[in-house]
Amino acid sequence: MEKQAVVFGASGGIGGAIVTQLAADPSMARIYAGSRRPSASADAKLVPFAFDLTDEASIAAAAAKVEGAVNLVFVATGLLHRPGGPSPEKALRALDGAAAAELFAINTIGPALIAKYFAPLLPRDRRGVFAALSARVGSIADNRLGGWYSYRASKAALNMLLVNLAIELRRTHPQAIVAALHPGTVDTELSAPFQRGVVPEKLFDPDRSAGYLLDILNKLTAGDSGGLFAWDGARIPY
Ligand SMILES: NC(=O)c1ccc[n+]([C@@H]2O[C@H](COP(=O)([O-])OP(=O)(O)OC[C@H]3O[C@@H](n4cnc5c(N)ncnc54)[C@H](OP(=O)(O)O)[C@@H]3O)[C@@H](O)[C@H]2O)c1
């Protein structure tokens, strides 16, 4: 049966690589590729669409345009730093309310709104996957270094939302799988200022990370729903 996927954050480093790899998959008939400023694609399989995580109506409008069930929803958006905006806090005195609120809007509330409109589009009688890029640093159990207050907290809250979604979907979509993913340290704009000290073999190019992540998603079963998984398939405790 032909499948279709929706990717949010197609303009991003990891999101772009996910779109490219899905487009190369012969079982994928259509890939809806969302970004803030979409451009036309020569690939007939790709359907670019516009959305902004801070604009709920744009997410609702995107869902209304999808025809038929969606086998994979992949949320590849996220924010760590922005010139003149959020920047990871080394200590609590660096915390800024507006910057923290922006990280929560992008990393937590935006993906929750995507789930609100797109989780109902997963098939009810077949396997379907809702995946979102989280981060290992969002694991409370794994936090030994501290710092990065707002980013860590926004990802921990995202993880909680995904667990809730997994529980809710169990009733209506028993074969659905909800997964939070840690992509590794990936060479993108998001990680660029923080790559010093990362050994080269641990700094993945986006294609490599996207390959690992799609591989993991293909192997997960409904019993795994609600978990946080690293690029190597290992389950990270919340
Ligand atoms: N790179 C890493 O090492 C690493 C490690 C752990 C976790 N992650 C997570 O992986 C995810 C993707 O990161 P990346 O490295 O691929 O970063 P990236 O290249 O900076 O991509 C971020 C994506 O988020 C989108 N985005 C930001 N604000 C948005 C908004 N208001 N509305 C719609 N889209 C918005 C960006 O769109 P625009 O192009 O329009 O700005 C872009 O597509 C993030 O959630 C990040 O936390 C990354």
Side-chain angles (χ1 to χ4, degrees):
M1 191 176 287
E2 287 196 325
K3 294 193 285 185
Q4 51 182 1
V6 185
V7 181
F8 289 86
S11 58
I14 302 170
I18 292 284
V19 170
T20 304
Q21 293 193 22
L22 289 174
D25 175 350
S27 74
M28 277 288 163
R30 193 175 299 153
I31 300 113
Y32 294 89
S35 57
R36 282 191 280 194
R37 285 170 295 275
S39 47
S41 166
D43 188 334
K45 271 187 179 185
L46 290 187
V47 183
F49 69 93
F51 80 101
D52 192 306
L53 289 165
T54 60
D55 175 5
E56 180 172 350
S58 73
I59 297 169
K65 281 190 208 129
V66 172
E67 289 169 28
V70 174
N71 306 84
L72 169 65
V73 180
F74 197 110
V75 183
T77 52
L79 184 66
L80 174 59
H81 59 89
R82 184 175 64 72
S87 173
E89 310 94 348
K90 289 203 176 104
L92 197 51
R93 65 178 173 279
L95 190 84
D96 174 86
E102 185 175 343
L103 285 191
F104 271 81
I106 301 303
N107 291 339
T108 316
I109 299 165
L113 291 171
I114 291 173
K116 175 178 170 184
Y117 292 98
F118 281 80
L121 305 184
L122 295 172
R124 280 175 177 266
D125 55 348
R126 273 171 293 134
R127 189 178 185 277
V129 176
F130 187 99
L133 290 179
S134 183
R136 189 187 295 278
V137 297
S139 161
I140 293 171
D142 195 71
N143 186 0
R144 286 174 195 89
L145 290 175
W148 295 33
Y149 281 80
S150 309
Y151 182 75
R152 278 187 189 274
S154 69
K155 292 293 192 181
L158 169 65
N159 294 342
M160 177 61 92
L161 282 160
L162 293 169
V163 172
N164 258 25
L165 175 64
I167 293 168
E168 183 169 336
L169 282 182
R170 243 177 252 155
R171 295 192 281 267
T172 53
H173 298 69
Q175 298 184 56
I177 297 155
V178 179
L181 298 172
H182 169 64
T185 303
V186 187
D187 186 9
T188 65
E189 272 179 37
L190 182 139
S191 69
F194 311 100
Q195 293 176 3
R196 224 176 336 139
V198 181
V199 290
E201 56 274 23
K202 281 283 166 72
L203 181 64
F204 302 152
D205 68 50
D207 267 340
R208 185 165 166 196
S209 175
Y212 287 144
L213 297 176
L214 290 174
D215 221 37
I216 292 166
L217 294 182
N218 279 333
K219 289 181 185 142
L220 295 180
T221 65
D224 298 313
S225 191
L228 168 62
F229 301 93
W231 57 272
D232 58 359
R235 199 170 173 141
I236 302 171
Y238 283 123

